[in-house]
Amino acid sequence: MANSRQLHLRRDPFQRPSLTPGPLGHNDAASPDSPRSFVGDTPGPLGMKDHGDPNIKQLSGNVAGLGGASAARSRQPKPVNELSSEEELVKDPRVKALLDVVAHAEGAGYNTMVKGKGSQPITDFGKHPNVIVTLSKSLKSTAAGRYQFLHSTWSGLNMPDFSPKSQDEAAVKLFKRRNMLKPLLAGAVEQAIRNGNREWASLPGSPYGQPTRTMKELLEVYTRSLTRWSQR
């Protein structure tokens, strides 16, 4: 290999790969450590940035990592604000965590009707079940789903069905209505929760006279959920 430079000085480097595995041609195609799928094109100074042609598709190892940062950025959720669509907002880990807070406070899942006489698991998610459940002699309710939507409330949200996806996005619509998103996205989680206490009677400070969760408990739920969703 000592004479390889003299043998090929007059050859077009784009017609034949470099045969110099040493420092000058480091990482050229003829290097015993180079993958055979690479050609020895050197777009920069001689021996530098070999295999760096941006048109090369057969990348592997550290070379493939050159585009890793861009790929990772492209997988990040788009920045959102309180005016973003429900579809975009529901992907944000902070919004997901607040949805978990409300579901925890209400003690409900996607198939849950309010507990009382006449309550049963929801099996048809084509529409709000609109079952009148008797809670006491003086109180009846149609609350249903993970966020315990009353039928009258649900009817005004114009959702296509009662699927989990629709329930999540409908709850985000209520977040908007109750000004919960702006403080949430600014980091004022406690204020966001308090702003929703006229929509959900289980949230701290609710004026409806029903049992409520403590703020400490709900902030702990939020923190755990945010950690989980941020890692996905």
Side-chain angles (χ1 to χ4, degrees):
M1 298 298 295
N3 297 323
S4 63
R5 298 180 189 177
Q6 295 180 4
L7 291 174
H8 300 292
L9 279 176
R10 293 187 177 86
R11 295 184 184 274
D12 184 345
F14 292 96
Q15 296 296 321
R16 182 181 180 87
S18 166
L19 298 179
T20 308
L24 182 62
H26 184 62
N27 283 342
D28 277 339
S31 168
D33 297 325
S34 296
R36 300 306 302 164
S37 59
F38 289 109
V39 295
D41 54 342
T42 306
L46 185 61
M48 301 294 293
K49 295 185 179 178
D50 288 311
H51 313 148
D53 185 345
N55 295 318
I56 293 178
K57 303 299 183 183
Q58 297 172 316
L59 300 179
S60 62
N62 291 335
V63 180
L66 293 174
S70 296
R73 285 193 297 271
S74 68
R75 292 193 295 270
Q76 295 298 317
K78 295 179 181 179
V80 296
N81 58 49
E82 67 272 19
L83 301 178
S84 299
S85 70
E86 290 80 27
E87 185 177 5
E88 287 299 324
L89 282 162
V90 81
K91 299 174 185 177
D92 189 280
R94 296 165 294 181
V95 177
K96 285 179 175 292
L98 189 58
L99 288 170
D100 288 344
V101 165
V102 173
H104 174 86
E106 294 291 310
Y110 293 110
N111 69 337
T112 304
M113 286 185 192
V114 64
K115 296 175 183 178
K117 186 178 180 180
S119 177
Q120 57 188 316
I122 300 168
T123 56
D124 180 3
F125 291 91
K127 60 182 180 179
H128 188 289
N130 193 24
V131 172
I132 300 175
V133 176
T134 301
L135 307 179
S136 68
K137 291 182 179 180
S138 59
L139 183 61
K140 297 181 180 181
S141 176
T142 57
R146 191 174 192 237
Y147 312 103
Q148 293 292 278
F149 300 99
L150 296 176
H151 182 258
S152 57
T153 300
W154 183 262
S155 297
L157 295 174
N158 298 315
M159 304 306 295
D161 52 39
F162 203 60
S163 65
K165 179 178 183 294
S166 290
Q167 290 185 39
D168 287 347
E169 292 181 7
V172 174
K173 284 188 176 184
L174 297 181
F175 288 174
K176 287 183 174 182
R177 178 184 295 179
R178 295 298 181 178
N179 191 29
M180 298 170 72
L181 290 171
K182 188 171 184 179
L184 172 72
L185 299 177
V189 180
E190 183 172 339
Q191 186 61 56
I193 293 172
R194 289 195 184 280
N195 286 359
N197 64 20
R198 289 184 176 274
E199 193 69 50
W200 288 283
S202 58
L203 298 183
S206 173
Y208 301 119
Q210 298 181 32
T212 62
R213 305 283 187 165
T214 67
M215 183 61 72
K216 181 177 182 293
E217 176 186 0
L218 297 185
L219 290 176
E220 289 173 352
V221 171
Y222 179 85
T223 299
R224 290 195 301 269
S225 293
L226 181 63
T227 299
R228 183 175 71 253
W229 289 117
S230 297
Q231 292 174 345
R232 296 190 178 186

